[in-house]
């Protein structure tokens, strides 16, 4: 006898961190399992033939797939729901200066705070951009930065040009010869 699967969710679009409610009914079935795949990791749990559960969808590559698989008389039957998961908006926290009467505190927080926040945000963006680069582009950026530094130094001290070029050649040979 074929297993009839009823599988629903309260929504098909959520934001990271939101809770989703799912309901299912698989009858008849010898065993039922639920698989959750967020694009990074897949988890499977055994569940009852019918019921409901709540899940918080935290991290996703744009969509999370929820799959119910029922086994009946040696045959597997499944149904999949695709939930679109929007990235959570990041909001920067601000500090509030409770001591408004102090000239020094007002000056320090109004000037240093904005620059400090900008610098922290810039460092994090550069770090994430660097981590996302493929290895061959990282090597190209290292060599490009070294060449620009070498040209600036060579304008002041021309004798360093040959020395710097030799260092670049040694570095490139090292990259080519190292084992992955």
């Amino acid at each position: 006898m074929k297993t009839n699967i009823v599988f629903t969710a309260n929504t098909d679009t959520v934001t990271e961190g939101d809770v989703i409610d799912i309901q299912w009914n698989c009858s008849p079935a010898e065993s039922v399992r639920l698989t959750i795949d967020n694009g990074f990791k897949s988890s499977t749990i055994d569940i009852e033939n019918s019921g409901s559960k709540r899940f918080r969808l935290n991290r996703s590559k744009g969509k999370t797939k929820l799959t119910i698989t029922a086994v009946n008389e040696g045959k597997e039957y499944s149904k999949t729901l695709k939930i679109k998961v929007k990235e959570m908006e990041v909001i920067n926290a601000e500090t509030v200066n409770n001591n408004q009467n102090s000239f020094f505190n007002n000056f320090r927080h109004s000037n240093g705070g904005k620059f400090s926040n900008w610098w922290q945000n810039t460092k994090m963006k550069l770090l994430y951009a660097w981590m996302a680069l493929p290895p061959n582009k990282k090597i190209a950026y290292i060599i490009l930065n070294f060449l620009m530094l070498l040209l600036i130094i060579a304008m002041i001290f021309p004798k360093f040009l040959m020395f710097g070029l030799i260092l670049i050649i040694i570095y490139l040979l090292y990259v080519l010869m190292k084992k992955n």
Side-chain angles (χ1 to χ4, degrees), residues 40-89:
F40 296 103
K41 181 180 175 186
S42 179
S43 298
T44 301
I45 58 172
D46 292 325
I47 55 176
E48 300 294 322
N49 288 4
S50 64
S52 65
K53 282 200 178 285
R54 298 183 75 182
F55 293 100
R56 183 175 309 276
L57 301 180
N58 287 325
R59 186 172 174 225
S60 178
K61 285 189 175 180
K63 68 180 174 185
T64 296
K65 290 192 284 187
L66 303 166
T67 303
I68 290 275
T69 304
V71 178
N72 188 26
E73 297 176 353
K75 293 184 180 179
E76 286 191 358
Y77 303 92
S78 65
K79 185 170 183 183
T80 300
L81 297 177
K82 294 179 181 174
I83 309 297
K84 182 178 179 184
V85 181
K86 296 183 284 186
E87 191 173 332
M88 185 184 316
E89 182 181 340

Side-chain angles (χ1 to χ4, degrees), residues 51-139:
S52 65
K53 282 200 178 285
R54 298 183 75 182
F55 293 100
R56 183 175 309 276
L57 301 180
N58 287 325
R59 186 172 174 225
S60 178
K61 285 189 175 180
K63 68 180 174 185
T64 296
K65 290 192 284 187
L66 303 166
T67 303
I68 290 275
T69 304
V71 178
N72 188 26
E73 297 176 353
K75 293 184 180 179
E76 286 191 358
Y77 303 92
S78 65
K79 185 170 183 183
T80 300
L81 297 177
K82 294 179 181 174
I83 309 297
K84 182 178 179 184
V85 181
K86 296 183 284 186
E87 191 173 332
M88 185 184 316
E89 182 181 340
V90 176
I91 300 172
N92 292 330
E94 294 182 27
T95 57
V96 178
N97 185 6
N98 290 333
N99 188 1
Q100 296 294 328
N101 296 330
S102 171
F103 172 78
F104 176 73
N105 283 339
N106 287 337
F107 178 75
R108 182 177 56 140
H109 288 290
S110 66
N111 293 331
K114 290 179 184 177
F115 177 77
S116 178
N117 287 341
W118 172 83
W119 179 243
Q120 289 297 327
N121 289 338
T122 303
K123 282 193 319 188
M124 292 306 294
K125 288 177 184 176
L126 289 173
L127 178 64
Y128 288 134
W130 180 258
M131 290 170 40
L133 284 176
N136 58 346
K137 284 199 176 188
K138 286 182 182 179
I139 292 171

Side-chain angles (χ1 to χ4, degrees), residues 150-167:
L150 176 63
L151 289 175
I152 291 170
I153 292 173
M155 286 190 300
I156 301 168
F157 304 106
K159 293 181 181 181
F160 282 109
L161 181 63
M162 186 60 71
F163 177 72
L165 290 174
I166 291 171
L167 285 178

